[in-house]
Amino acid sequence: MKFTTLLLSGLAALTTAQTAAPYTDAKSGITFNAFIGSTGYFFGIALPANSTSSNTDFIATIGGKGTGWSGVSLGGGMLNKLLVVAWPNAQAIVSSFRKTANYGSPAVATGTFTQTPIANGTYVNATHWTYTFLCSKCILSDKTTFAPTDLTASFGYALNAAAPAQKTNPASSVAKHTSQGQVSLDLKKAQSASFESWRSWAVKSAVTVAVKREWEG
Ligand code: HEM
Ligand SMILES: *[C@@H]1O[C@H](CO)[C@@H](O)[C@H](O)[C@H]1NC(C)=O
Ligand SMILES: *[C@@H]1O[C@H](CO)[C@@H](O)[C@H](O)[C@H]1NC(C)=O
Ligand SMILES: *[C@@H]1O[C@H](CO)[C@@H](O)[C@H](O)[C@H]1NC(C)=O
């Protein structure tokens, strides 16, 4: 019995293994340092060259297979960290910042941080959905995220293949993840001299993305 349990949890760990590697999105041409899971989940980050202690911005890509939600913790763990949760709604993407002190569907987070989509990195194809965005004022100094000069940082991933209850509503509750964990990413490998050029591609109305922000109530 014990042996079976061990064997099964070992297998589960293997099948949800995440691999960190440089990843270039074919449609935008943006290169990220990313982790890509066997479930189709992926999260990637790009930072400015020589990210200094005053940098608060990065470009991220997040996605998955099918119509379920994918989430990332910018501080590693689930609790008291800044989270981003996104999912597809037909050809559009729905996304929000979240934060919670308890294990349960995280509430929408309030702050000055914003997400601005990059159009050609945001799409839904036959198998996957992909959301690429400039995250402005997202690197915080309150330990809810990584720091701009960190050489490596731990990110949390979480996903559920089931779509959220109200998929048109960025503030929708989500069901608990069916897979979650933490992965360390080399942030030096996320830095690019092209960052400022990629940043300029982020345009507020360039693509249909419903983003929940604090001032939208
Ligand atoms: C109803 C919704 C949710 C419930 C009940 C829930 C509950 C939990 C629990 C109990 C754990 C500890 C590991 C385990 O026992 O499974 C955990 C881990 C985790 N959760 Fe959630 N969660 C929810 C939604 C989310 C969302 C939307 C995210 C988005 C990023 C997230 C991110 C994580 C991460 C990254 C971990 C692993 C790191 C850690 O243990 O803190 N969770 N969650
Ligand atoms: C993505 O869009 C930007 C402009 O918004 C463009 O400069 C860039 O070349 C596009 N990427 C690809 C691979 O076509
Ligand atoms: C970044 O740092 C490297 C070496 O430390 C330097 O050669 C390069 O010019 C810097 N790049 C920028 C954009 O400041
Ligand atoms: C759909 O997009 C994903 C993520 O970019 C990519 O890996 C996959 O090859 C694409 N599939 C098709 C059929 O184009």
Side-chain angles (χ1 to χ4, degrees):
M1 208 47 189
K2 259 198 182 130
F3 178 71
T4 311
T5 312
L6 273 177
L7 191 65
L8 282 177
S9 54
L11 276 177
L14 268 181
T15 52
T16 56
Q18 312 282 318
T19 315
Y23 161 72
T24 300
D25 177 73
K27 292 214 175 183
S28 67
I30 298 175
T31 298
F32 302 89
N33 200 16
F35 52 92
I36 297 174
S38 53
T39 56
Y41 173 99
F42 58 90
F43 168 76
I45 181 166
L47 284 160
N50 306 332
S51 181
T52 62
S53 55
S54 60
N55 176 43
T56 59
D57 300 355
F58 59 86
I59 293 169
T61 191
I62 188 167
K65 242 182 193 167
T67 56
W69 64 264
S70 291
V72 63
S73 165
L74 301 177
M78 174 173 167
L79 302 183
N80 303 310
K81 302 294 183 187
L82 187 60
L83 311 174
V84 175
V85 178
W87 59 82
N89 173 37
Q91 294 304 297
I93 302 295
V94 178
S95 181
S96 57
F97 291 102
R98 305 285 180 118
K99 198 173 168 185
T100 180
N102 306 296
Y103 287 127
S105 184
V108 168
T110 58
T112 55
F113 31 75
T114 58
Q115 303 174 21
T116 310
I118 291 178
N120 54 8
T122 301
Y123 52 90
V124 180
N125 67 19
T127 53
H128 291 70
W129 59 274
T130 299
Y131 174 42
T132 302
F133 60 100
L134 173 66
C135 207
S136 298
K137 300 190 179 165
C138 288
I139 307 177
L140 306 174
S141 50
D142 60 4
K143 303 210 187 304
T144 61
T145 71
F146 63 95
T149 53
D150 283 349
L151 296 181
T152 60
S154 183
F155 292 88
Y157 65 89
L159 65 129
N160 189 321
Q166 303 165 272
K167 61 179 188 173
T168 59
N169 178 5
S172 176
S173 64
V174 298
K176 189 184 173 183
H177 27 77
T178 49
S179 175
Q180 86 290 328
Q182 296 192 37
V183 166
S184 176
L185 281 183
D186 183 334
L187 293 187
K188 213 51 194 163
K189 288 187 183 151
Q191 294 190 4
S192 172
S194 302
F195 182 87
E196 295 309 325
S197 163
W198 296 335
R199 177 210 292 275
S200 71
W201 301 354
V203 180
K204 212 174 166 187
S205 58
V207 64
T208 323
V209 178
V211 181
K212 177 82 179 173
R213 300 193 189 88
E214 67 167 317
W215 57 85
E216 290 169 342

